[in-house]
């Protein structure tokens, strides 16, 4: 009887395979790729790494609307970086422009646990720091160059190269 209960309670090989393939990208244990090159200079400190970031374009974003068109987030929303990955976070959201894909309205945030930096130039929101962002499309991805001064008063230069955009995942996967 006990052997039958244990056999029924143990996951089957098919169940284990199904679970492994349904892991959401960015979740612990999920497959990585494509990787994103990130370099951030904050004050006199430079951070650089290849990370498994969420890079996507939101086709529902409209010019002047509240949604960001270009989004880059490391680590993925709701995740903690894996122990073998950088233990800092970086986020870039760029609103859609009226005449082009990108506008001059964006939010850039970076933190390493001890220091943080924010630039926010979105109209209708509290301005934080100042800066510019340049978007250069290539293949299936884009390069983002951020330059400015953070809300905290430090000089920021960041280059984020998303080798490819992933499909946007809404809440619930």
């Amino acid at each position: 009887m006990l052997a039958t209960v244990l056999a029924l309670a143990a996951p089957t090989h098919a169940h284990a395979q199904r679970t492994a393939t349904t892991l959401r990208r960015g979740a612990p244990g999920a497959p990585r790729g494509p990787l994103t090159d990130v370099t951030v200079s904050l004050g006199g400190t430079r951070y650089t790494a290849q990370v498994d970031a969420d890079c996507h374009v939101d086709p529902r974003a409209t010019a002047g609307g509240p949604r960001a068109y270009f989004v880059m987030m490391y680590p993925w929303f709701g995740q903690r970086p894996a122990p073998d990955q950088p233990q800092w976070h970086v986020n870039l959201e760029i609103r859609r422009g009226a005449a082009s894909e990108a506008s001059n309205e964006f939010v850039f945030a970076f933190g390493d646990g001890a220091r943080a930096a924010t630039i926010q130039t979105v109209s209708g929101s509290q301005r934080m720091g100042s800066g510019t962002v340049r978007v250069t499309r290539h293949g299936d991805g884009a390069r983002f160059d951020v330059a400015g001064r953070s809300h905290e008063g430090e000089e920021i230069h960041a280059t984020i190269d998303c080798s490819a955009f992933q499909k946007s995942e809404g809440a619930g996967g």
Side-chain angles (χ1 to χ4, degrees), residues 43-129:
T45 306
R46 183 180 168 141
Y47 305 82
T48 188
Q50 270 196 331
V51 297
D52 181 23
D54 174 8
C55 289
H56 69 268
V57 172
D58 186 345
R60 298 171 294 179
T62 58
R67 288 182 176 273
Y69 181 65
F70 290 110
V71 177
M72 180 278 176
M73 185 182 317
Y74 171 78
W76 286 62
F77 182 75
Q79 302 300 322
R80 291 181 183 253
D84 64 333
Q85 292 289 295
Q87 298 301 302
W88 34 266
H89 75 271
V90 63
N91 184 58
L92 176 63
E93 297 182 6
I94 305 169
R95 300 295 184 254
R96 188 170 210 155
S100 67
E101 285 187 304
S103 73
N104 61 353
E105 294 189 12
F106 71 98
V107 177
F108 174 83
F110 175 84
D112 69 0
R115 299 169 69 191
T118 305
I119 298 174
Q120 179 170 280
T121 64
V122 176
S123 62
S125 299
Q126 178 185 355
R127 293 269 181 180
M128 296 183 188

Side-chain angles (χ1 to χ4, degrees), residues 124-149:
S125 299
Q126 178 185 355
R127 293 269 181 180
M128 296 183 188
S130 61
T132 59
V133 62
R134 185 178 72 215
V135 178
T136 307
R137 284 280 211 154
H138 59 71
D140 293 333
R143 174 181 162 140
F144 306 99
D145 293 291
V146 177
R149 186 158 297 279

